[in-house]
């Protein structure tokens, strides 16, 4: 605990009013003289944990992960006096210094070595390793109610993804493909027989028959912007589609690459510059420095609200570039619909020997989950697929040991896609016999 104000033996506790302490419901005047005592809600602050791993040099390395307190839900059993987490939390979570916040009737005390101590609501950190015994005492000192609070963690940190191979019907993926999650659907754009096709599914098993698009868009360029699909054709024209099948030219601007999108802008690369547009008519420079390090392939991005301002978004873009054959390139920006707060793109440089870069890959996918970025990295030469995570907006990356990836029968040289949908992970792999795996996440918000 950060601070303990005073301790009270059990024999004295029942008759003490402790009016000098703060009430968990309101002012002392509001609670004075009541005999009610109960915890009505229970939550915890964000939990920061130190994790030791082996870096690429084989040395022990410590990095920190933070789990959002808002994602940790508690169930209160008033009859049995039990307060427990709804979900089993990851094994790596450090619960030795957790700050709880409660609301209810009366004053709260925590038991340590058979003595109950008053603690400051929302301020004192407590050790939940072996559970906690709490007691709520009515403000008139005539009644008390005991609770046991438990934060449940998984028994190991290796299998928080449980994979299931799904039977397939109608899925045809003979070439490169790109999977996009929109609403409750999986959209797979693919090169099939010299055409670009689209197939969709709600459950990963039943797929619509491949339909040929009305334009020869590059499937790898397909990006969601304001819930519509955007892509490039062979001439670099910018096309848009509401359903993924019917595409129309939406800009006179030509692009070499579609780089990213967020709530306000679509970003393209052209003429050695990064340009941004809200309406596909007006384009503004949004980055002209280090553009030789822009990705030319395996481009993917994620945009998510910053922790401090709901009007701002972090935007992270990754990919591969011939300018760096050992690492994937990572770019970052702060985006805002308000021009005065909108920032330009910045390349995140790395130094030789840095053990925390995102490795070079033959294929990349990027998702955002539980306050961290997860990059799916396929290395055909090494015959591996891995997940790398970043909690600092792409500055440093660590091989993820919490989620096991991939399923053991995932081939090492066939094109693959990785997305999150409905709190599940999905991997699709092409080839003569396409395969789909659904990974159930054990720690969901």
């Amino acid at each position: 605990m950060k601070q303990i104000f005073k301790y009270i033996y059990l024999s004295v506790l029942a008759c003490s009013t402790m009016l000098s302490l703060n009430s968990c419901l309101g002012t002392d005047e509001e609670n004075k003289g009541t005999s009610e005592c109960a915890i009505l809600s229970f939550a915890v602050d964000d939990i920061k944990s130190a994790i030791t791993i082996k870096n690429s040099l084989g040395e022990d390395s410590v990095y920190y992960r933070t789990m959002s307190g808002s994602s940790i839900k508690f169930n209160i059993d008033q009859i049995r006096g039990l307060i427990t987490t709804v979900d089993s939390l990851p094994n790596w979570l450090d619960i030795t210094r957790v700050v709880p916040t409660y609301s209810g009737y009366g004053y709260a005390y925590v038991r340590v070595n058979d003595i109950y101590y008053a603690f400051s609501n929302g301020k004192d950190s407590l050790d939940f390793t072996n559970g906690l015994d709490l007691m709520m005492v009515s403000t008139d000192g005539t009644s008390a109610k005991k609770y046991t609070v438990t934060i449940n963690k998984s028994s190991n940190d290796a299998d928080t993804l449980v994979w299931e191979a799904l039977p397939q019907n109608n899925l045809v993926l003979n070439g490169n493909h790109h999977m996009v999650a929109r609403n409750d659907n999986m959209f797979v754009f693919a090169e099939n027989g010299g055409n670009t096709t689209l197939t969709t599914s709600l459950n990963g098993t039943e797929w619509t028959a491949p339909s040929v698009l009305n334009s020869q868009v590059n499937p790898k360029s397909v990006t969601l912007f304001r819930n519509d699909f955007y892509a490039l054709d062979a001439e670099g024209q910018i096309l848009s589609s509401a359903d993924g099948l019917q595409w129309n030219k939406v800009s006179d601007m030509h692009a070499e690459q579609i780089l990213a999108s967020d709530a306000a802008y679509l970003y393209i690369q052209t003429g050695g510059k990064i340009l941004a547009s809200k309406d596909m008519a007006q384009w503004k420079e949004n980055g002209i420095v280090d553009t030789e390090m822009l990705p030319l392939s395996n481009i993917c991005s994620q945009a998510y609200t910053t922790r401090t301002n709901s009007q701002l978004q972090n935007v992270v873009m990754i990919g591969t570039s011939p300018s760096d054959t050992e690492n994937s390139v990572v770019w970052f920006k702060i985006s805002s619909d308000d021009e005065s707060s909108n920032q330009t793109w910045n390349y995140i440089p790395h130094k030789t020997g840095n053990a925390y870069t995102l490795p070079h890959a033959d294929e990349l996918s990027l998702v955002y989950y539980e306050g961290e970025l997860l990059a799916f990295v396929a290395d055909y030469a090494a015959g591996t697929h891995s997940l790398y995570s970043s909690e600092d907006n792409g500055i440093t990356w660590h091989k993820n040991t919490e989620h096991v990836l991939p399923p053991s029968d995932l081939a090492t040289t066939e094109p693959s896609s990785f997305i999150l949908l409905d709190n599940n992970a999905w991997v699709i792999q092409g080839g003569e016999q396409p395969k789909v795996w659904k990974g159930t996440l054990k720690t969901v918000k």
Side-chain angles (χ1 to χ4, degrees):
M1 277 178 278
K2 300 174 184 174
Q3 182 181 8
I4 297 178
F5 293 97
K6 60 178 66 179
Y7 65 87
I8 303 166
Y9 286 97
L10 293 177
S11 60
V12 180
L13 182 61
C15 62
S16 174
T17 62
M18 308 304 283
L19 294 179
S20 62
L21 298 176
N22 291 329
S23 168
C24 61
L25 182 62
T27 66
D28 288 334
E29 186 64 29
E30 290 171 337
N31 289 312
K32 186 176 181 179
T34 66
S35 60
E36 296 178 278
C37 51
I39 295 177
L40 301 181
S41 68
F42 194 87
V44 295
D45 287 356
D46 295 353
I47 303 176
K48 186 176 181 179
S49 306
I51 300 175
T52 301
I53 61 171
K54 295 288 186 183
N55 63 26
S56 61
L57 304 177
E59 303 166 339
D60 283 342
S61 175
V62 177
Y63 75 102
Y64 293 89
R65 294 192 61 185
T66 300
M67 188 167 192
S68 170
S70 63
S71 68
I72 303 175
K73 308 298 183 184
F74 288 86
N75 179 67
I76 301 178
D77 184 337
Q78 297 288 1
I79 296 177
R80 294 187 295 171
L82 301 177
I83 302 175
T84 57
T85 48
V86 174
D87 298 309
S88 183
L89 304 181
N91 182 264
W92 52 261
L93 200 66
D94 180 1
I95 58 175
T96 60
R97 294 174 58 86
V98 179
V99 179
T101 301
Y102 61 88
S103 66
Y105 299 104
Y107 305 117
Y109 301 86
V110 58
R111 187 173 116 178
V112 180
N113 296 327
D114 292 328
I115 299 175
Y116 279 87
Y117 298 87
F119 71 96
S120 183
N121 187 18
K123 295 182 180 180
D124 289 341
S125 59
L126 306 175
D127 185 353
F128 283 79
T129 302
N130 298 310
L132 276 181
D133 289 331
L134 298 181
M135 179 180 289
M136 293 296 289
V137 179
S138 64
T139 55
D140 66 2
T142 62
S143 58
K145 183 175 178 61
K146 292 182 180 180
Y147 293 89
T148 298
V149 186
T150 305
I151 295 179
N152 295 314
K153 297 202 303 181
S154 59
S155 59
N156 62 74
D157 60 358
D159 289 316
T160 53
L161 268 176
V162 178
W163 290 99
E164 174 189 6
L166 301 181
Q168 294 306 300
N169 185 16
N170 270 343
L171 183 58
V172 179
L173 293 176
N174 294 321
N176 288 326
H177 67 270
H178 179 52
M179 180 165 54
V180 179
R182 187 180 75 168
N183 302 333
D184 295 326
N185 274 277
M186 286 174 275
F187 292 75
V188 179
F189 299 89
E191 297 173 356
N192 277 317
N195 295 310
T196 304
T197 63
L198 170 65
T199 181
T200 65
S201 178
L202 285 168
N203 59 15
T205 294
E206 299 294 330
W207 295 84
T208 60
S211 299
V212 177
L213 277 56
N214 70 324
S215 295
Q216 195 70 10
V217 305
N218 176 1
K220 289 289 189 179
S221 70
V222 177
T223 302
L224 271 183
F225 176 52
R226 294 176 178 169
N227 215 40
D228 283 336
F229 300 103
Y230 285 76
L232 301 179
D233 65 10
E235 285 74 43
Q237 294 189 108
I238 302 173
L239 309 178
S240 179
S241 173
D243 61 6
L245 287 173
Q246 299 300 314
W247 293 79
N248 299 294
K249 177 183 173 181
V250 291
S251 177
D252 292 331
M253 181 67 69
H254 280 60
E256 299 161 31
Q257 310 285 345
I258 291 180
L259 296 175
S261 65
D262 55 41
Y265 305 96
L266 181 75
Y267 303 95
I268 63 172
Q269 175 189 1
T270 185
K273 301 176 181 178
I274 301 175
L275 302 182
S277 179
K278 295 181 179 181
D279 57 9
M280 304 303 110
Q282 300 295 320
W283 294 86
K284 295 185 178 181
E285 288 185 5
N286 199 238
I288 58 174
V289 179
D290 295 321
T291 53
E292 72 279 3
M293 301 304 297
L294 283 171
L296 299 183
S297 58
N298 298 312
I299 302 170
C300 42
S301 67
Q302 284 292 313
Y304 45 96
T305 304
T306 66
R307 294 178 179 176
T308 57
N309 190 331
S310 62
Q311 303 303 310
L312 301 178
Q313 283 194 308
N314 297 313
V315 194
V316 177
M317 167 180 57
I318 65 173
T320 52
S321 166
S323 298
D324 192 336
T325 58
E326 294 184 0
N327 305 280
S328 296
V329 294
V330 182
W331 288 69
F332 172 79
K333 71 161 291 180
I334 297 290
S335 177
S336 173
D337 191 46
D338 180 359
E339 290 290 342
S340 64
S341 301
N342 191 44
Q343 299 180 13
T344 58
W345 282 95
N346 292 283
Y347 167 64
I348 300 178
H350 53 264
K351 299 179 181 178
T352 302
N354 181 1
Y356 308 111
T357 60
L358 184 63
H360 192 274
D362 293 296
E363 283 192 81
L364 286 170
S365 297
L366 186 67
V367 300
Y368 183 74
Y369 175 74
E370 286 277 359
E372 67 176 347
L373 291 163
L374 292 176
F376 171 88
V377 179
D379 185 336
Y380 291 161
T384 60
H385 297 79
S386 306
L387 279 181
Y388 281 77
S389 59
S390 174
E391 283 201 326
D392 52 15
N393 302 316
I395 298 174
T396 60
W397 297 84
H398 304 271
K399 193 169 184 180
N400 193 288
T401 58
E402 175 192 350
H403 302 308
V404 172
L405 183 79
S408 59
D409 52 347
L410 181 61
T412 56
T413 57
E414 294 289 352
S416 305
S417 293
F418 174 78
I419 62 169
L420 294 184
L421 181 65
D422 296 333
N423 284 322
N424 293 306
W426 298 84
V427 173
I428 290 183
Q429 186 165 75
E432 293 185 2
Q433 296 182 329
K435 299 176 182 179
V436 177
W437 294 268
K438 176 183 177 181
T440 302
L441 289 159
K442 290 297 187 180
T443 55
V444 298
K445 290 186 178 180

